[in-house]
Amino acid sequence: MPYMPVIKICGVKTPEILDCVVAQGADMVGFNTFGKSPRYIDWATIEALVARASGRIESVVLLVDPDDDDVRAAAATGAGWLQLHGHETPARVSAIKAATGKKVIKALPVGGPEDLAAVSAYAQLADGLILDAKPPADATRPGGLGATFDWSLLAGLDPDVAFMLSGGLDKDNVARAVREVMPFGLDAASGVEREKGVKDAGLISAFIANARAAATELRK
């Protein structure tokens, strides 16, 4: 099958931007529950957006070290996917999958080769992986910081491990990401915003178009 990466736009907050993400042909849309994030929205808003997305695009609810109440609330929104973006252990990932019956994406921070040691353990348990730029020690949130990481670190990964690439992806570097990494998927948040937490329809359109064009070029 010809290569074409799955595209996820994360941190969507409004019906208008959701409709734009759908119209531009993204595959997944993410909704953020982390209170310290500029992309945070409450449970009622997430539930309404998930309902609006139903049948049009896959919905993902992002959680950071959630307790059981938050896991239940996320599952109750109707989203098909839960994204775990904290320090969840493999055992916790398994427990959340079992408790909710939802598909689970585990995000893993990458800053150096030592961070890739955890990939195989999570790859056996999660339905998807996101490899994101490792935040600095003083960061107040685990992702969405607009920073990339050294993609050459991924060259040694087991080629059978499918992952989504995240961290600082935008319209200007996504084509290079496609050519150099050829990830299963691409995950963008801050890179398609005109200011923190405010998505821009033009940047979303350009990001998706550039990703698709780069993948199409690889097939020639």
Side-chain angles (χ1 to χ4, degrees):
M1 181 180 295
Y3 171 66
M4 187 60 69
V6 167
I7 294 179
K8 174 173 169 280
I9 305 297
C10 198
V12 168
K13 297 165 66 173
T14 67
E16 294 77 17
I17 291 298
L18 170 60
D19 290 346
C20 167
V21 169
V22 172
Q24 295 303 318
D27 304 285
M28 307 179 89
V29 59
F31 307 114
N32 194 321
T33 71
F34 188 55
K36 294 180 180 179
S37 172
R39 299 163 197 99
Y40 165 82
I41 51 177
D42 60 31
W43 292 116
T45 303
I46 292 175
E47 189 170 351
L49 290 173
V50 169
R52 188 180 185 93
S54 181
R56 304 164 69 202
I57 191 170
E58 296 280 336
S59 291
V60 184
V61 175
L62 184 154
L63 301 158
V64 178
D65 298 318
D67 60 23
D68 289 346
D69 287 342
D70 285 339
V71 170
R72 282 190 287 268
T77 64
W81 295 79
L82 306 181
Q83 178 177 326
L84 304 177
H85 214 111
H87 301 87
E88 300 87 6
T89 63
R92 182 63 170 154
V93 172
S94 292
I96 288 173
K97 277 177 57 71
T100 63
K102 300 291 184 179
K103 295 178 181 177
V104 171
I105 300 171
K106 179 68 181 89
L108 298 172
V110 179
E114 69 280 359
D115 296 315
L116 299 177
V119 168
S120 60
Y122 285 100
Q124 296 173 41
L125 300 169
D127 300 286
L129 295 177
I130 288 175
L131 301 185
D132 196 3
K134 190 173 188 175
D138 60 351
T140 59
R141 56 188 196 273
L145 301 173
T148 58
F149 65 93
D150 182 0
W151 299 335
S152 69
L153 292 169
L154 305 177
L157 275 183
D158 181 341
D160 291 331
V161 173
F163 63 89
M164 301 186 80
L165 182 67
S166 189
L169 294 177
D170 59 29
K171 67 180 180 63
D172 297 319
N173 64 14
V174 69
R176 182 168 65 87
V178 169
R179 291 192 299 268
E180 294 183 8
V181 183
M182 290 187 67
F184 171 78
L186 301 157
D187 183 31
S190 62
V192 290
E193 294 175 350
R194 61 175 177 267
E195 59 184 87
K196 277 187 179 180
V198 182
K199 293 288 187 287
D200 183 277
L203 293 176
I204 291 169
S205 175
F207 177 85
I208 294 174
N210 292 351
R212 301 290 191 214
T216 299
E217 185 67 25
L218 287 176
R219 291 151 57 182
K220 292 182 179 179

